Amino acid sequence: MISGYIEKIKYRNEENGYTVLSVSVEGEEEILVGTFSHIEEGSYISASVKERVHPVYGEQLFVESYELKRPDDEKGIEKYLASGAIKGIGPVLAARIVKKFAKDTLRIIEEEPERLEEVKGISENMARAVSVQVQEQKEQRAAFVYLQKYGISMKLANKIYKEYGERLYSIITENPYRLADDIQGVGFKLADEIAQKVGISADAQFRIKSGIVYILSKAAANGHVYLPMERLMNIASELLNIPDELIPREVADMQIEKRVSVKQIDGEDVVYLTTSYHTELSIARKLLELSVNSDNLRKDVEKNLPKFEKSLNIELDDLQRQAVIKSLSCGLIIITGGPGTGKTTTINMIIKYLLSKNMEVLLAAPTGRAAKRMEEATGYEAKTIHRLLEINALPDADDMETNLGLNFERNEDNPLEADAIIIDEMSMVDMYLMNSLLKAVSVGTRLILVGDTNQLPSVGPGNVLKDIIASGVVEVVKLERIYRQAGLSDIVLNAHKMIEAEPIDLAKSSKDFVFIKRSGADNIISACITLLKSKLPDYVSADSYDIQIMSPMKKGMLGVERLNLILQQHLNPKHPKKPEKEFDGKVYRVGDKVMQTKNNYQIEWSVKNDIGIAMEKGQGVYNGDIGIIRYINDFEEFIRVEFDDRKIVEYPYSEANQLELAYAITIHKSQGSEYPAVIIPMYPGPKMLMNRNLIYTAITRAKKCVVLVGIPEVFYAMVENTKEMARYTGLKKRIKELAALSKEE
């Protein structure tokens, strides 16, 4: 048993309560680790501890059970108050209060706070404020203890308390499913567990309705915009353990409440979350509004384009020329095509022609890395779509991932001011982001959408690019010719062979598309390490850190989680001169290659000169940005990461969960990026995941060389597997319906 005052909370994960504490025990510092519900510096702790050996930090005292006690001596009380436990009371006031009330201090603060006015420097208003604060803290601690009984994390408990206050007790006992509706992060399953504990009936109406919302939301996370009624009934019946005939009744009720919309697609009833249906409808309407063509402009461009090509010494093919003409004379156009088909040349020609006519052009892409690629390819500034639309608040990470509930300064009331807007990597844009973009585009502004339909679809719901093309209503130009330079690349040729279902000879000698046969996960990893450390850097004239290993999977023998641990040991092993820090069981050390895993629009960066003076400053680091840990400061508790373009970002330990090791990344995370060389382990995985879209996306990320390592049969199986998970989307139908109606009018 160890007892003492908590001197400092060195690290705390609010998600799970994992905490590292510095405790003063008889004048000596002891470091305790464990999970704590609610804890403050200055508190007195009695803890039962067990010694354990940590692989990084050596011997630690792990807290098995604990009790927080009020300090019972004057020194302890003063220390507690001076810690900042009560806002407005610092070391000076703490000393005065304890001098006045001695051991009775804490009782007086709680029971007779008005007496604090007796202390010099404390006004009536301040005494009242302290009283309110102490009461709130007491209520909050009680609420946290109560919520912990139901398995609710510290972070969620804080959200729940802020939302409901003292009402949380009645809500949990009467209808805990409200938590799932009102609190981001409280899912149906947690609410259902609570409901079971408080004795709510399995067939309660609000339980079934909450279950339906959960199922539709879960479907959205898998890319679906709606679910067929029959499928919804089957899933709900299994999830809720109730007869499926109860579902339509509640769906009908929810329709009246405008929580869901029931429509017909291909002769069957389908169920949307109402938000999703209206989003789809809004996109369709705006697309048709923007599809305004000008014959006069078309004639002008057709007349002048050959001269313009000649002046720039660029010769376009017929399809590229068609794309340029339509981009300049149509309100809305899609330009699509695989690698090497001249999309970049076409975009550059469009930009140059528009600028020659003194027109304003805006460029954007869904991710930071895709925007950077676009900027490099065109020579003009490109932003993320979120930046372009001027996101006006920092949303929850979940909202950033799905683009749901985001608010932008640019909208129908404050549209983007431009003659043309070009969006690249459109396959990555989900329905919610597309809707936000379209709201900010005025009729008369040309919207040019560029993408490859064979890439992976968006993370969020919908299949926007494919659906718009499939509608047959919007102008589309598909570039098909593979240019001579690109045609020399087996990366490009094999990518097209995949799409055309033509055979690929893995035994063929190639400069840029190589297959190395290996069997067994560890043999594959060993070959990948050799390629990364010694073979590829000189071959592609790039640093090993710029060469990217990409795996189809996150888990498993060749998933990125295991790969990163092994690669870290080989590429950046433990060293006395390399500081390191553990977060949630993962070790990060100076020299590690890391990736930003979510868009952070507020974090600050700077570019410094050789003597450390900031030459440039800005904000924003994006999902997929890769950098190197340059410094870990355990005293000030931050990690310094250097990203591309020498941008330096300092992460407080509390935000380190935004980073993950990036020696290996998932293919999904590579979307919108390019690397000098790519290494892809070929090892069996889930059939639904291991499909053509995935391997196509992976090999087209390589600029100079792609090396596949492993089992040839796995590669061939992926190429043959065209059964990517079909998405339930209705955008094609909405566009066609509205187009038909407008013709009738």
Side-chain angles (χ1 to χ4, degrees):
M1 183 70 75
I2 280 181
S3 299
Y5 292 103
I6 299 170
E7 295 280 353
K8 188 172 180 60
I9 297 172
K10 298 174 81 70
Y11 172 75
R12 180 164 174 83
N13 184 328
E14 292 295 344
E15 194 72 46
N16 55 23
Y18 179 81
T19 310
V20 181
L21 300 173
S22 168
V23 178
S24 176
V25 182
E26 297 178 358
E28 298 289 324
E29 183 189 48
E30 293 283 2
I31 303 296
L32 307 186
V33 299
T35 301
F36 300 86
S37 58
H38 186 80
I39 203 155
E40 294 168 333
E41 292 179 0
S43 300
Y44 192 86
I45 188 171
S46 290
S48 174
V49 297
K50 183 179 180 181
E51 284 191 7
R52 70 174 189 184
V53 179
H54 190 277
V56 176
Y57 299 107
E59 287 188 3
Q60 289 184 327
L61 294 175
F62 182 77
V63 176
E64 293 185 312
S65 62
Y66 70 95
E67 186 182 355
L68 292 177
K69 296 180 179 178
R70 289 176 133 191
D72 54 7
D73 60 17
E74 292 178 26
K75 185 180 176 183
I77 294 169
E78 185 179 333
K79 195 171 193 66
Y80 172 73
L81 293 177
S83 72
I86 299 171
K87 287 177 184 175
I89 298 179
V92 175
L93 272 183
R96 287 180 192 165
I97 294 167
V98 174
K99 188 177 179 181
K100 176 73 178 175
F101 300 119
K103 290 183 180 181
D104 209 25
T105 296
L106 293 179
R107 186 195 65 78
I108 284 170
I109 289 174
E110 286 187 3
E111 298 175 10
E112 302 176 74
E114 66 279 357
R115 288 190 61 192
L116 289 173
E117 292 180 60
E118 299 171 23
V119 178
K120 185 182 175 184
I122 297 181
S123 64
E124 181 184 349
N125 285 341
M126 187 178 176
R128 196 178 296 116
V130 168
S131 172
V132 169
Q133 195 182 150
V134 167
Q135 187 59 34
E136 282 179 352
Q137 286 182 356
K138 193 174 178 181
E139 289 169 1
Q140 188 178 27
R141 278 194 292 271
F144 280 21
V145 170
Y146 175 78
L147 292 170
Q148 202 179 11
K149 293 191 300 184
Y150 297 106
I152 294 170
S153 72
M154 297 303 102
K155 188 177 179 180
L156 283 182
N158 196 38
K159 281 186 179 180
I160 293 167
Y161 185 78
K162 280 182 179 176
E163 178 73 23
Y164 300 129
E166 291 294 288
R167 291 186 299 127
L168 70 88
Y169 300 102
S170 60
I171 287 167
I172 280 178
T173 53
E174 293 168 14
N175 182 7
Y177 298 98
R178 279 191 58 185
L179 272 66
D181 295 337
D182 299 340
I183 312 290
Q184 181 75 44
V186 178
F188 169 79
K189 288 196 171 179
L190 178 56
D192 205 40
E193 285 174 14
I194 297 169
Q196 287 179 32
K197 289 176 182 175
V198 297
I200 287 169
S201 160
D203 61 356
Q205 278 189 299
F206 52 73
R207 179 175 184 256
I208 299 172
K209 288 177 180 178
S210 185
I212 290 167
V213 170
Y214 167 73
I215 292 163
L216 292 173
S217 302
K218 193 93 182 298
N222 290 320
H224 303 298
V225 183
Y226 65 81
L227 284 179
M229 176 68 86
E230 193 173 333
R231 186 166 180 191
L232 175 64
M233 288 167 64
N234 292 338
I235 297 170
S237 176
E238 188 175 341
L239 173 73
L240 303 171
N241 197 24
I242 59 171
D244 59 7
E245 60 261 26
L246 296 178
I247 310 303
R249 182 190 70 190
E250 301 306 334
V251 168
D253 204 28
M254 291 171 77
Q255 211 177 352
I256 295 167
E257 297 167 356
K258 296 185 177 178
R259 295 174 73 186
V260 302
S261 294
V262 181
K263 302 295 171 182
Q264 273 221 338
I265 293 180
D266 298 331
E268 67 174 338
D269 285 346
V270 304
V271 186
Y272 287 84
L273 287 172
T274 298
T275 315
S276 300
Y277 174 70
H278 286 296
T279 301
E280 216 172 57
L281 201 58
S282 173
I283 292 169
R285 282 187 184 132
K286 195 61 192 265
L287 288 170
L288 290 170
E289 277 181 30
L290 294 173
S291 298
V292 180
N293 302 336
S294 170
D295 287 334
N296 289 335
L297 275 171
R298 179 187 292 269
K299 288 173 184 175
D300 183 65
V301 180
E302 284 175 345
K303 180 183 172 184
N304 293 310
L305 187 57
K307 298 176 194 171
F308 197 72
E309 286 180 56
K310 195 173 179 180
S311 70
L312 295 173
N313 199 25
I314 295 172
E315 187 178 350
L316 303 175
D317 69 26
D318 289 342
L319 286 171
Q320 287 178 312
R321 199 168 289 118
Q322 190 183 338
V324 174
I325 293 167
K326 287 186 175 181
S327 296
L328 296 162
S329 59
C330 300
L332 174 65
I333 182 177
I334 292 173
I335 301 171
T336 185
T341 55
K343 291 195 297 293
T344 300
T345 302
T346 307
I347 292 170
N348 279 328
M349 181 61 81
I350 294 166
I351 294 168
K352 286 180 169 64
Y353 197 97
L354 287 163
L355 293 176
S356 75
K357 299 293 183 181
N358 296 315
M359 293 186 182
E360 181 76 18
V361 186
L362 296 175
L363 310 181
T367 66
R369 289 187 72 85
K372 188 184 175 195
R373 270 184 66 201
M374 195 181 189
E375 194 167 290
E376 289 168 350
T378 62
Y380 297 97
E381 183 188 15
K383 299 178 178 179
T384 65
I385 298 172
H386 295 84
R387 278 278 190 216
L388 182 74
L389 299 178
E390 299 173 20
I391 192 164
N392 60 11
L394 187 67
D396 284 347
D398 293 334
D399 288 341
M400 286 303 310
E401 189 78 359
T402 62
N403 294 307
L404 176 61
L406 300 189
N407 292 307
F408 299 98
E409 292 292 339
R410 296 291 183 172
N411 49 42
E412 53 266 81
D413 299 320
N414 182 28
L416 293 162
E417 295 173 9
D419 296 290
I421 300 167
I422 304 175
I423 307 293
D424 199 10
E425 297 286 356
M426 265 300 300
S427 62
M428 299 175 69
V429 177
D430 68 26
M431 62 183 281
Y432 294 117
L433 189 57
M434 185 64 177
N435 191 42
S436 297
L437 172 66
L438 291 173
K439 283 180 180 178
V441 181
S442 315
V443 176
T445 297
R446 299 162 181 82
L447 182 60
I448 302 157
L449 307 176
V450 185
D452 182 352
T453 55
N454 294 302
Q455 300 280 0
L456 290 167
S458 59
V459 173
N463 212 340
V464 174
L465 184 62
K466 275 190 176 179
D467 279 358
I468 298 173
I469 294 171
S471 73
V473 174
V474 174
E475 292 279 3
V476 178
V477 177
K478 185 179 180 183
L479 303 178
E480 294 175 341
R481 179 179 167 186
I482 302 173
Y483 279 82
R484 191 174 62 169
Q485 189 179 0
L488 297 173
S489 164
D490 282 320
I491 295 173
V492 172
L493 290 174
N494 286 336
H496 285 272
K497 282 180 179 179
M498 283 183 195
I499 303 310
E500 302 299 326
E502 294 177 13
I504 296 170
D505 184 5
L506 295 180
K508 177 190 170 187
S509 179
S510 172
K511 291 181 179 180
D512 65 353
F513 191 99
V514 180
F515 198 104
I516 299 172
K517 287 186 184 181
R518 292 288 186 274
S519 60
D522 291 341
N523 291 334
I524 293 171
I525 294 170
S526 179
C528 290
I529 291 167
T530 302
L531 285 163
L532 197 59
K533 289 178 76 173
S534 58
K535 299 289 186 185
L536 281 176
D538 288 342
Y539 186 70
V540 297
S541 304
D543 190 275
S544 62
Y545 274 73
D546 295 325
I547 296 166
Q548 192 58 59
I549 294 178
M550 295 178 353
S551 174
M553 300 159 287
K554 197 167 183 177
K555 307 282 186 183
M557 293 296 287
L558 282 169
V560 296
E561 290 182 355
R562 181 169 184 257
L563 278 171
N564 273 318
L565 290 174
I566 295 169
L567 290 164
Q568 185 188 43
Q569 292 169 17
H570 283 85
L571 300 172
N572 191 33
K574 187 178 177 67
H575 193 279
K577 292 186 178 179
K578 285 186 177 181
E580 59 185 41
K581 183 72 182 175
E582 183 191 15
F583 298 99
D584 299 331
K586 296 176 183 175
V587 174
Y588 297 85
R589 70 175 58 99
V590 169
D592 273 338
K593 181 179 179 180
V594 290
M595 173 186 278
Q596 175 77 13
T597 59
K598 60 184 73 170
N599 288 339
N600 187 331
Y601 289 88
Q602 290 190 338
I603 198 164
E604 294 181 351
W605 56 260
S606 63
V607 178
K608 297 180 178 178
N609 61 16
D610 293 338
I611 57 173
I613 297 172
M615 306 300 290
E616 188 183 351
K617 291 184 177 180
Q619 288 181 304
V621 185
Y622 308 112
N623 186 1
D625 284 355
I626 289 175
I628 298 171
I629 295 176
R630 297 298 189 194
Y631 184 60
I632 295 176
N633 189 320
D634 228 3
F635 180 73
E636 295 184 40
E637 299 186 342
F638 70 82
I639 295 175
R640 183 180 297 150
V641 179
E642 181 179 354
F643 289 97
D644 295 338
D645 304 325
R646 297 178 63 196
K647 289 178 180 176
I648 301 290
V649 178
E650 292 186 351
Y651 291 84
Y653 281 178
S654 58
E655 294 181 19
N657 62 349
Q658 295 182 25
L659 297 170
E660 63 182 32
L661 292 175
Y663 298 103
I665 65 173
T666 62
I667 295 168
H668 281 87
K669 282 287 187 185
S670 75
Q671 281 182 277
S673 302
E674 272 190 347
Y675 310 94
V678 166
I679 303 168
I680 310 167
M682 289 282 95
Y683 195 73
K687 190 175 179 183
M688 191 57 82
L689 179 67
M690 308 288 281
N691 59 43
R692 184 185 290 176
N693 287 72
L694 197 74
I695 192 65
Y696 174 89
T697 299
I699 70 167
T700 55
R701 301 306 91 201
K703 286 194 277 190
K704 295 181 180 179
C705 184
V706 62
V707 185
L708 300 108
V709 185
I711 304 165
E713 289 76 16
V714 172
F715 173 79
Y716 288 125
M718 289 185 77
V719 173
E720 289 168 12
N721 183 11
T722 58
K723 293 181 181 178
E724 60 175 303
M725 191 179 75
R727 294 188 167 191
Y728 293 115
T729 68
L731 182 58
K732 179 179 90 172
K733 181 178 171 65
R734 304 286 155 240
I735 297 170
K736 292 177 84 167
E737 282 177 345
L738 290 177
L741 283 171
S742 66
K743 282 182 182 178
E744 288 174 11
E745 291 170 1

